[in-house]
Every structure is written in C-alpha cells, then in structure tokens.
Amino acid sequence: MGITFAALALLGVAGSGVADPLHKFGHDGAWRHVDSGWMFPASVSGFSRVGQPYNIDGNNDAGAEYRPASGSSVSAEVDVYAADSGAPDATLDGAKSTAARKAGESAGVSSEQPFQIDTLKGVRGVKVRHAGTEAAGTLTNLYFFTTERWRVKVLANSAATGKDGDAALDAFVQALPWETLGSESGIH
C-alpha cells in the first residue's frame, strides 16, 4: 500500500508538465518571463496590458497584448521566443506571414527597414510596415528583433495611417523594457 501511494505521488509531481514560464513580479502588476527575463509591465508608453501574459503554443514562449488607455483602436502584441523555438512566428518569415494576414488583402508592404532600439546595442531589428488602402484606413507594423538566444516580435495595428499612428507605435516599441531581455538564467 505504501509503495502504491508513493508511486502515485511521484506520478502526480512528474505528470504536472512543464513549469509555468510566467510569474508575477513586484507590486505594479508586472509579469516576468522566467527563461528570458523579459518583463511584461502593466503599462508602457500610454498602453495598458490586456489581462495577464500568455504562453504561446503551450511551450515556454510568452506574449501579452497591449492597448492604449484612451480606448482607441490600436493594439500591440508583444511576443518573446527562444531562438530555437518551433513556433511559426519565431522566425522573421513566419512573423511577416502573420503580419500580412492581419493587415488584410488590401494592404501591402509599404516599407521594410532596420529598426534600432535607442537604449540597446547588439540587438538587430527590422520594421515592416503594411499600409491599408484609404478606404480601409489601417496600419499594421511588424517589429522583429533577434539576439543570440531570443526573438521578440511586436505586431501592432492602428486605425491612424499617418505619421502620428506610425510614431505612436514606434514610441511604444522603443519604451518596452528591452534591458530585461536576457537578464534571467532560466532557473525557476
């Protein structure tokens, strides 16, 4: 009887699956992605996080959605992937495909250019801008960054297609907590 109980207890622990890669951090509503150290703060540059961060495809990749406090029709998804992740959007080509679908049939790539984070050196980034037709009046920007160990995808949509909408999305990306990326060792 004692052996059966011990075996069941061991199976319960072993069967619990992968440890949760996201943990609450501090008293300001932030969440930390354990493997990468990336912080998902409650607010960034006038945007508020929608709910708590999520796991991507049931693995240790994580993301969160942000929207402006003003309630405008702008949204941004911030996703963090391990360099060896099998998730489709963990590659630039996969992320571009997702951005094109999100932008819609009438949108086309209006520019693709390097995008540097002002406070961070050694991170390569690209910004792919999809502009909708005048009738659609939408803007979708993909920002994709790579380091040796991590990939960060920011997919942002705005109803404002002009320079103001583009500048607001750029400012949000610049204000993200880039200094936290790679700050953890992956130990739970």
Side-chain angles (χ1 to χ4, degrees), residues 6-7 9 12 24 32 48 69 76 83 85 116 120 124 126 146 150 153 163 167 172 178 180 184:
K24 287 184 180 180
R32 179 181 290 265
S48 296
S85 173
Q116 180 64 44
L120 195 61
R124 292 174 305 184
V126 64
T146 61
W150 306 106
K153 177 192 84 175
K163 289 185 180 189
F172 170 75
W178 292 100
T180 66
E184 286 293 300

Side-chain angles (χ1 to χ4, degrees), residues 1-54:
M1 184 78 157
I3 294 174
T4 304
F5 178 72
L8 289 174
L10 183 58
L11 283 173
V13 171
S16 63
V18 178
D20 184 6
L22 294 160
H23 293 282
K24 287 184 180 180
F25 186 85
H27 301 289
D28 296 330
W31 286 74
R32 179 181 290 265
H33 180 236
V34 175
D35 289 349
S36 71
W38 183 270
M39 295 294 282
F40 292 101
S43 62
V44 176
S45 187
F47 285 67
S48 296
R49 194 183 64 240
V50 178
Q52 72 182 50
Y54 47 80

Side-chain angles (χ1 to χ4, degrees), residues 133-173:
T133 63
E134 286 300 315
T138 60
L139 170 68
T140 300
N141 283 353
L142 167 66
Y143 303 83
F144 195 86
F145 302 90
T146 61
T147 71
E148 187 177 316
R149 295 187 58 211
W150 306 106
R151 306 296 181 255
V152 177
K153 177 192 84 175
V154 180
L155 185 55
N157 295 295
S158 174
T161 58
K163 289 185 180 189
D164 289 342
D166 198 47
L169 298 177
D170 287 356
F172 170 75
V173 173

